Each structure stands twice: as structure tokens, then as C-alpha cells.
Amino acid sequence: RVAGGSNAGHTIVVEGKKYKFHLLPSGILNPKAVCVVGNGVVIHLPSFLNELDSLSKSGIDYDGRIKISDRAHLVFDFHQEMDGMQESRLGRNKIGTTKKGIGPAYASKISRNGLRVGDLANWEWFESRFRSLADAQMRGHPGLEIDVEEQLDYYRSISERVNSMTCDTVEYANTAFQSGKKVLVEGANATMLDIDFGTYPYVTSSNPSVGSVLTGLGVSPEKIRGIYGTVKAYTTRVGEGPFPTELPDEGPGSIGHHLGTVGAEWGTTTGRARRCGWLDLAQMRYSILINGFTSINLTKLDVLTGLEEVKIGKRYKSADGAYLSTMPACLTTMSEMEVEYETLEGWTEDISECRNFEDLPANAQRYVLRVQELLGVPVRWIGVGPNRLDVVDLG
């Protein structure tokens, strides 16, 4: 992991057992993998340690397989409280954050008064910095109360455990690469939630796009080999913000309801129902432009099963009828534009057992091939069910 924090949520099903990760890379389920939480991540240590404890209860041995960057910044409980206070003040104009303290923690980082994981190795330094930060936040946020002594007692109690997992991950990752190890970076959130490229201000506080691989792990550009874009066969969004292809859930029988219920579209982190809509290729092309995907992982194709017809949002048209060549930065422009759709025939056959492209129904094949044609990037993987191995690999 190289960006974001516990605002991310990845649900993985292995042999019928469901795992939910927020900070841990999902590779932790592979006993041969060493997992690195890079310097670009902001870490809420209580949540992180709870995830590790849950792994132990599930019989997953992670000993020696977790490395935390000594440069990664910390999310404290008061950051989360500040997040909630700020959302409440916005009222109807709320961003729709997960209230996990991500934005306030990055604000501390940018303000240069934040604390990093490596600071725990020097307790006097940590304590001094924590007291200063807590004092500054209480003065800047009337009504915010921080039990400084209680928090310090907690962090002192976990410091030895955290220090045992902490290292210089810049050196670790680059040494691993130079020795021939395969390094896989797992994204979190999405390009349209990128603080620079997303639907600002309805975005996250980090860069979920490819640039964070370099800045959040400390590797040079020439080390990147393949860039794989993961996208559902339809579009979802949690929280507020523009959604051009949205299909509101109007109850049983509506397409929005079908996508949300069949796709189990509830946020892994918040439990909120995700908003659903048709696949938006204008957003995808924008994401490809920024990230340079070499291939696509098209997930949850099975969720479209049972629909009489499926639509693809091809491009945007402005209020004056002109086609837009890029993603507008102005939300007013986005609210006024129309989406041009292409309609394809749906399919009713169960595809969860398909493991070869030829096994898919003809109309499902046409959908995938049309998406690939319109994007100009090969679809390498197709998700056909909830389990980790429910995938068609096109090679």
C-alpha cells in the first residue's frame, strides 16, 4: 500500500471465507508474500493492530511478513473526531468522507506538525511532539477534547510491537526489486477520488493514481513494468459528488436496485450503500490517460447477468450539444452535461463457473470486447463471481 489509510476497504473471499482489509495489503493472505505499508499511507495504529489480531484469530500467520514505513504518518483518534466535526459543519454541503481522520492527518503532515511511525522508536521525541500537536489541535478546534495522558499511555503500550514491524521501506522495497523479487503495489480508492484529478472537492485526501507508487513507496519510474487498472463492469460511488451515469435505487425491479443488491454494494469501510450506475467510459479514458494502464481487470461482470439490456456510457455532451474531449474540472459543467450511451443485449446465463472467455455467453463476450474496443486497452482479467478465483484470465 502506498496511499490513503483506513478509508479504503477491500473485501476478499477465499474458499468461502470473507476477509475485509482497510490498511493491510490483501497479499497478506499469500503465505509467501511480505507486505509493505509505504510512507505515503497514513496509519491509524489501533485499527491496524485490530486487523492483525483478526488475522491471528482466522489462523493467518503474518509473523515477519509485515513492514511499516518509518516515514508513514499517524492518524490519531482526535484526527477522526476532527473529521466528523468538519463534516457536521458542512451540513448539506458535506463531502461524504468516511470520517476515518484521513484528511486531518494529511493536513497535519502538510502542516509539518504530524507524527510518523518511526517517531515511536524515540519515546521522549514522540511524547514531546504529541503534546504539541494535541495542544495545537485543541486550540484550533473549539470543542475538541483530547485526553493526552490516556493517549500517551496507549502509544507507549504498543510501541514495542509497532517498532518490531517498522523499517526503512524505501531501502527494503528497492533492495527487493534489485534482487529480482516481484513487487506488486495495491491501489486504494480510485482515480476519480484523486485529490488532484478527481471530482474536487468530493475526493479523498491523497493521490490514488499511479504517481503515488513513486512518492508513496520511494521507487523510481523506470522500475514500473505493468500498470493494471481495476474497474467494475458498472460504476459505483460511495458518498457525495457527481455521478453522470447513476441509476438511482428505485426499489425492486429497478436497475439501480439490481446492481446494488446483486453486487452487494455496501461500503467495506462505512457500511453505506454505494451508488450504482452504468459503466462510464469517459471516466475510464480519463483514468487511462493519467495512469497509462497496460491492461484492465474488469470485475463483477456476473452482476450484469439477468438484465435485458446493458448500457455503456460512451462520452459526455455539454449543455450546448458539443462533445467534451476530456473530464471537466468544473462541477457545474458536470451537472449540466449529458451522457451518450450505447445499448447492448444482456444475458441470463450463470457465468460464475466460466474460466475461459469462450465459456461466457455470446452477449457477455460482446460486452467485454466492446469495452475493450472503446478503451483501446486490452482486458486481461474478467471477474465472474465473488471468490478470489472466480476469474477468466485472457493471458
Side-chain angles (χ1 to χ4, degrees):
R1 282 284 304 277
V2 296
S6 57
N7 55 336
H10 292 173
T11 300
I12 300 168
V13 182
V14 181
E15 296 179 352
K17 185 173 178 58
K18 186 177 291 186
Y19 299 87
K20 295 185 177 183
F21 297 126
H22 303 279
L23 280 162
L24 283 171
S26 56
I28 195 65
L29 297 177
N30 177 356
K32 297 179 180 179
V34 175
C35 291
V36 173
V37 179
N39 58 273
V41 178
V42 288
I43 304 178
H44 184 244
L45 286 175
S47 300
F48 183 76
L49 297 178
N50 282 339
E51 282 193 45
L52 290 179
D53 292 341
S54 296
L55 279 181
S56 296
K57 291 176 183 176
S58 299
I60 305 296
D61 181 14
Y62 62 83
D63 188 43
R65 296 197 298 116
I66 294 284
K67 309 289 183 185
I68 313 172
S69 172
D70 53 3
R71 293 175 169 86
H73 275 251
L74 292 171
V75 180
F76 293 107
D77 290 350
F78 60 77
H79 283 131
Q80 298 187 338
E81 190 174 344
M82 289 161 56
D83 207 354
M85 292 169 67
Q86 290 168 6
E87 276 286 86
S88 296
R89 290 193 191 107
L90 289 171
R92 60 184 293 184
N93 297 314
K94 65 180 181 178
I95 303 299
T97 77
T98 58
K99 301 179 183 179
K100 296 297 182 181
I102 308 306
Y106 276 117
S108 291
K109 176 179 180 177
I110 299 304
S111 299
R112 298 182 294 278
N113 63 0
L115 279 80
R116 305 194 290 185
V117 174
D119 293 336
L120 277 170
N122 183 335
W123 181 254
E124 288 185 5
W125 171 254
F126 181 90
E127 180 179 354
S128 172
R129 294 276 294 174
F130 183 87
R131 290 185 185 279
S132 296
L133 176 60
D135 181 63
Q137 301 294 18
M138 285 190 285
R139 281 188 283 108
H141 296 81
L144 177 67
E145 296 182 4
I146 304 171
D147 190 331
V148 174
E149 302 308 322
E150 181 182 64
Q151 286 288 289
L152 286 172
D153 286 345
Y154 171 75
Y155 281 95
R156 187 193 292 271
S157 72
I158 66 169
S159 59
E160 185 176 346
R161 183 182 182 188
V162 174
N163 290 340
S164 69
M165 296 181 277
T166 304
C167 73
D168 181 347
T169 55
V170 176
E171 179 184 43
Y172 182 85
N174 281 281
T175 300
F177 180 87
Q178 289 159 7
S179 67
K181 299 285 187 182
K182 291 183 179 178
V183 180
L184 178 67
V185 176
E186 177 181 18
N189 306 123
T191 298
M192 294 311 299
L193 295 178
D194 189 287
I195 187 71
D196 288 301
F197 305 117
T199 51
Y200 189 89
Y202 301 99
V203 292
T204 192
S205 301
S206 62
N207 292 106
S209 50
V210 71
S212 64
V213 175
L214 312 181
T215 59
L217 189 59
V219 295
S220 54
E222 74 272 7
K223 290 185 172 67
I224 296 180
R225 296 291 184 263
I227 306 172
Y228 311 119
T230 297
V231 61
K232 295 173 186 173
Y234 51 99
T235 305
T236 61
R237 179 171 193 141
V238 175
E240 311 303 315
F243 191 160
T245 63
E246 184 171 12
L247 296 164
D249 185 343
E250 298 173 337
S254 69
I255 297 174
H257 182 79
H258 171 97
L259 296 176
T261 53
V262 177
E265 294 297 351
W266 292 273
T268 302
T269 297
T270 63
R272 291 178 294 182
R274 295 190 183 107
R275 299 154 64 192
C276 300
W278 296 120
L279 184 62
D280 188 333
L281 291 195
Q283 286 189 2
M284 277 300 299
R285 281 190 289 268
Y286 178 65
S287 184
I288 290 168
L289 191 67
I290 292 166
N291 296 289
F293 298 135
T294 53
S295 58
I296 299 293
N297 175 22
L298 187 68
T299 69
K300 303 184 85 164
L301 183 66
D302 54 299
V303 175
L304 299 182
T305 299
L307 297 177
E308 289 185 12
E309 60 181 27
V310 289
K311 293 185 178 182
I312 298 172
K314 287 175 61 176
R315 51 184 175 172
Y316 298 150
K317 186 184 293 186
S318 66
D320 62 5
Y323 287 110
L324 301 179
S325 61
T326 186
M327 184 65 57
C330 176
L331 296 192
T332 301
T333 303
M334 289 197 75
S335 67
E336 296 173 346
M337 67 190 188
E338 296 180 2
V339 181
E340 182 180 281
Y341 290 96
E342 180 172 320
T343 303
L344 291 81
E345 292 184 19
W347 61 92
T348 58
E349 301 91 331
D350 178 11
I351 65 172
S352 61
E353 299 297 322
C354 296
R355 293 297 178 267
N356 298 296
F357 186 72
E358 295 73 21
D359 299 335
L360 293 171
N363 286 344
Q365 292 185 33
R366 292 189 188 99
Y367 181 81
V368 173
L369 292 174
R370 185 57 176 152
V371 169
Q372 179 175 265
E373 179 184 9
L374 290 170
L375 290 179
V377 177
V379 173
R380 166 70 190 272
W381 300 275
I382 305 168
V384 294
N387 287 290
R388 201 177 202 185
L389 299 180
D390 294 344
V391 175
V392 173
D393 187 348
L394 299 180

